Amino acid sequence: MNNVFEIRDLSGWFGDNQVLKNIHMDIAQYTVTSVMGPSGCGKSTFIRCLNRMHDMTPGFRTTGEILFDGVNINSEAIDPVTLRRKVGMVFQQPNPFPRMSVFENVAVGLRLNGKNWSRNGLAEVVEKSLGMAALWEEVKDKLDSPGVSLSGGQQQRLCIARALAVEPEVLLMDEPCSALDPVSTAKIEELIEVLREKYTIVVVTHNMQQAARISNNVAFFLLGELIEMDKSGKIFTNPSDKRTEEYITGRFG
């Protein structure tokens, strides 16, 4: 199986505060990798490094390498905007653009890519993207309504559709269900199961049950370190490191 990401000796700092320490791991194509660990352990910082979301954060810097399809994403040859089209991000809080309709929320990335889209061409991609996000049937009669008029779970799936519209290779999800009710959470998990066939997905989650349900592989972070990464079943039944076992059994975190 091909590796989409190969992370080599990645460390990260906010000013003088080191938040990632010598991370070394691979992320395989068409898999779901869950990144778990207690609050403040570096999970969100780590996945934001994968598409250079921290570029504009004052005082943030990294060392080491992040190879995406074999190319170091921090090299001068890489355009961060192009990288983020290939490595999309869905955030913890649903964030549809407030002044845009459902249709325009999905179409906005396509318009920004510079191609002159026809209305019919846009409509085709919007319908496809909403369908892939399991939202089309719920909103096909509300395309002109504001995106923020949808329920929380629908808004999160709208944001997933927006990310899918530009045809990324990878989808990063930072606690995508933490603000959602159990019914909406189940729909997002079902969606991840479908999307893993076409996309490589990296999910930050506090929810160990969720990680066990959706993941091929699990990476356990603690105090900025990658303690261990393995198949989901191995991590939850027979972890190699005592600290992983203590976290899973609720002794800390």
Side-chain angles (χ1 to χ4, degrees), residues 83-144:
L83 173 67
R84 290 174 199 133
R85 289 181 194 138
K86 295 180 179 180
V87 185
M89 174 79 84
V90 176
F91 296 95
Q92 182 173 359
Q93 294 287 340
N95 61 341
F97 297 120
R99 293 185 175 86
M100 291 187 182
S101 66
V102 170
F103 183 96
E104 289 299 330
N105 259 282
V106 180
V108 63
L110 299 169
R111 295 189 194 279
L112 291 174
N113 278 351
K115 181 178 176 180
N116 291 321
W117 289 87
S118 67
R119 177 74 182 185
N120 286 341
L122 274 179
E124 185 176 324
V125 176
V126 168
E127 179 177 347
K128 177 184 175 182
S129 303
L130 288 168
M132 292 174 68
L135 190 57
W136 172 252
E137 291 299 325
E138 296 173 40
V139 302
K140 62 184 179 182
D141 298 322
K142 304 176 183 177
L143 296 179
D144 294 327

Side-chain angles (χ1 to χ4, degrees), residues 32-222:
V32 178
T33 299
S34 285
V35 180
M36 70 175 195
S39 296
C41 69
K43 305 184 299 295
S44 293
T45 300
F46 169 71
I47 69 161
R48 286 167 185 248
C49 288
L50 299 182
N51 70 349
R52 293 178 54 177
M53 284 290 291
H54 277 309
D55 274 15
M56 302 304 291
T57 303
F60 185 77
R61 62 186 176 91
T62 61
T63 58
E65 288 189 329
I66 301 174
L67 303 180
F68 173 57
D69 291 339
V71 179
N72 185 2
I73 67 170
N74 292 310
S75 70
E76 293 183 0
I78 296 296
D79 174 19
V81 176
T82 301
L83 173 67
R84 290 174 199 133
R85 289 181 194 138
K86 295 180 179 180
V87 185
M89 174 79 84
V90 176
F91 296 95
Q92 182 173 359
Q93 294 287 340
N95 61 341
F97 297 120
R99 293 185 175 86
M100 291 187 182
S101 66
V102 170
F103 183 96
E104 289 299 330
N105 259 282
V106 180
V108 63
L110 299 169
R111 295 189 194 279
L112 291 174
N113 278 351
K115 181 178 176 180
N116 291 321
W117 289 87
S118 67
R119 177 74 182 185
N120 286 341
L122 274 179
E124 185 176 324
V125 176
V126 168
E127 179 177 347
K128 177 184 175 182
S129 303
L130 288 168
M132 292 174 68
L135 190 57
W136 172 252
E137 291 299 325
E138 296 173 40
V139 302
K140 62 184 179 182
D141 298 322
K142 304 176 183 177
L143 296 179
D144 294 327
S145 301
V148 292
S149 68
L150 302 179
S151 71
Q154 289 175 328
Q155 287 185 33
Q156 191 65 300
R157 282 181 284 147
L158 178 63
C159 294
I160 293 172
R162 185 174 67 198
L164 295 177
V166 296
E167 299 186 329
E169 293 180 38
V170 178
L171 202 55
L172 308 176
M173 296 181 164
D174 191 359
E175 296 275 6
C177 301
S178 65
L180 304 181
D181 61 80
V183 173
S184 296
T185 294
K187 288 184 178 180
I188 297 293
E189 290 184 7
E190 290 167 5
L191 177 56
I192 290 171
E193 283 288 329
V194 174
L195 293 177
R196 76 199 310 166
E197 296 180 8
K198 294 184 177 180
Y199 302 92
T200 303
I201 301 174
V202 184
V203 183
V204 167
T205 180
H206 277 97
N207 188 323
M208 284 182 276
Q209 290 78 17
Q210 181 176 78
R213 287 192 296 266
I214 67 173
S215 307
N216 300 98
N217 304 303
V218 174
F220 173 58
F221 276 58
L222 182 65

Side-chain angles (χ1 to χ4, degrees), residues 220-231:
F220 173 58
F221 276 58
L222 182 65
L223 298 175
E225 296 183 50
L226 174 62
I227 302 303
E228 67 176 298
M229 179 177 177
D230 212 322
K231 298 292 185 183

